[in-house]
Amino acid sequence: MILTLTANPSIDRTVEITAPLTRGAVQRATHVVQEAGGKGVDVSRALAMSGIRTLAILPGDDDDAVLAGLRSVSVPFHNLPIGAGLRTNTAITEPDGTTTKINEPGPELSPAQLEELLAVVVAESDGAEWLVLAGSLPPGVPPTFYTRVTAAVREAYGSSAPLVAIDSSGEPLTEAAAGVPAPDLLKPNAEELSELTGIGTGDELEQDHELAAKACAVLIAAGVGAVLATLGSKGALLVTDAGAWHAVHPPVIARSTVGAGDSALAGYLLAHSAGELPENCLRQAVAHGSAAAALPGSTVPSLDQTTPAAVAVTPLMVTLPVIEPSATGSTAGPLAQEEF
């Protein structure tokens, strides 16, 4: 079982237009897709499409459109009624696949509702293999919330706690990367990886895979178990304390990049659950992400729509910073270098 928590879910509305977006102009849409969304919801949708047991945990009233969307595609969920409508996110996709997103903030959760949501996650984590904490947080929720959830689940189940994957942005991602306990898997894109580590820019990391792997290694040295960094059309990286790999799929005709990163995470989890080696988990992640980019809107692919055999995987040599313990046993001190 793979659980997902989407604290700020949405209806994802994607509008395809016939020409490049022109500010202030009137433009006609050729196609409109509307689906239940939010990063964790997208992961659960992609897993369910491939027959993997999943449960999406999210706030939302029983009659909310997001929950109706999950019912329509037979994705199991556990919702927490909050007495407020969920948000709508709008994406505008141009003929070349360029996507402009307008995301609403979402409803606020009261402290009591937040505690109840946390209790739901802890209860449902019993026996789960993975717990995915994904997406933005609703207004007013502390950016440390994902670290708090991780700690609560590990305290409740100890060594049998599910592995934790985190895919977010901004302060929640920064706090998760530096938090204690650290996640087992972090999934930034190139821009987020740059912001987390101060290494390069998003564009530079997409182009320079060695530099991007170096940035991932900084997160590994800080305690993160593994980093799956998506690099747009340049593929993705997987870095752990045992190795580093880059993978790329042959170019596809992109219809929408909405949900491609979420599908990549789902592909990784699907392969990991099947006991695949790390490089093959990366291969499936890239295959899933590429398949998603070729589909309209926030449509997610099933396993049989992906082409992992077409993905080229290359091992990388990366210098891993390792924090040397001090004489007192703390981890403070200068960085040593270790190659793998």
Side-chain angles (χ1 to χ4, degrees):
M1 169 71 78
I2 297 176
L3 302 180
T4 65
L5 169 64
T6 309
N8 203 14
S10 62
I11 284 292
D12 282 352
R13 183 176 175 83
T14 305
V15 181
E16 294 186 14
I17 57 178
T18 58
L21 181 64
T22 303
R23 186 180 179 195
V26 175
Q27 295 181 256
R28 299 195 180 278
T30 58
H31 191 64
V32 178
V33 178
Q34 183 168 294
E35 293 164 304
K39 285 184 172 295
V41 166
D42 288 346
V43 170
S44 280
R45 285 172 49 220
L47 292 170
M49 284 278 289
S50 297
I52 304 299
R53 288 184 63 218
T54 185
L55 179 71
I57 301 171
L58 68 164
D61 294 345
D62 293 341
D63 59 353
D64 195 277
V66 173
L67 302 184
L70 288 176
R71 292 187 190 97
S72 71
V73 291
S74 301
V75 175
F77 62 85
H78 184 150
N79 63 301
L80 172 68
I82 58 173
L86 299 173
R87 61 184 180 151
T88 297
N89 292 339
T90 302
I92 302 172
T93 60
E94 302 175 43
D96 66 353
T98 300
T99 302
T100 302
K101 296 187 69 177
I102 303 171
N103 290 350
E104 297 179 9
E108 291 190 21
L109 298 184
S110 70
Q113 289 170 334
L114 198 60
E115 291 301 317
E116 191 171 353
L117 186 63
L118 175 59
V120 169
V121 175
V122 172
E124 294 288 5
S125 292
D126 189 9
E129 181 180 0
W130 279 93
L131 168 61
V132 179
L133 310 176
S136 64
L137 295 174
V141 175
T144 55
F145 182 64
Y146 286 149
T147 300
R148 186 180 173 209
V149 173
T150 303
V153 169
R154 290 182 180 171
E155 181 179 355
Y157 299 107
S159 60
S160 63
L163 298 171
V164 175
I166 297 181
D167 180 7
S168 190
S169 59
E171 280 192 274
L173 180 62
T174 301
E175 293 290 345
V180 178
D184 298 286
L185 177 69
L186 203 66
K187 199 219 74 63
N189 60 29
E191 183 177 350
E192 292 159 351
L193 182 59
S194 172
E195 292 173 354
L196 281 172
T197 63
I199 296 176
T201 65
D203 288 342
E204 289 171 345
L205 297 186
E206 287 190 0
Q207 299 296 328
D208 188 337
H209 307 145
E210 297 285 349
L211 185 64
K214 177 182 177 181
C216 292
V218 170
L219 299 175
I220 299 300
V224 175
V227 179
L228 173 65
T230 50
L231 307 175
S233 64
K234 304 301 181 181
L237 289 170
L238 177 65
V239 179
T240 73
D241 61 1
W245 302 266
H246 171 255
V248 64
H249 190 283
V252 299
I253 298 175
R255 291 191 64 181
S256 171
T257 59
V258 178
D262 307 333
S263 292
L265 177 54
Y268 177 94
L269 297 173
L270 186 155
H272 186 278
S273 296
E276 293 287 353
L277 295 171
E279 54 266 43
N280 289 331
C281 294
L282 174 62
R283 188 188 306 276
Q284 190 60 56
V286 170
H288 256 77
S290 296
L295 295 171
S298 56
T299 306
V300 295
S302 61
L303 182 60
D304 61 8
Q305 291 176 294
T306 71
T307 52
V311 177
V313 179
T314 304
L316 301 174
M317 288 295 294
V318 180
T319 300
L320 178 66
V322 178
I323 299 177
E324 294 282 6
S326 69
T328 60
S330 74
T331 56
L335 296 179
Q337 303 295 321
E338 175 182 301
E339 288 193 352
F340 58 93

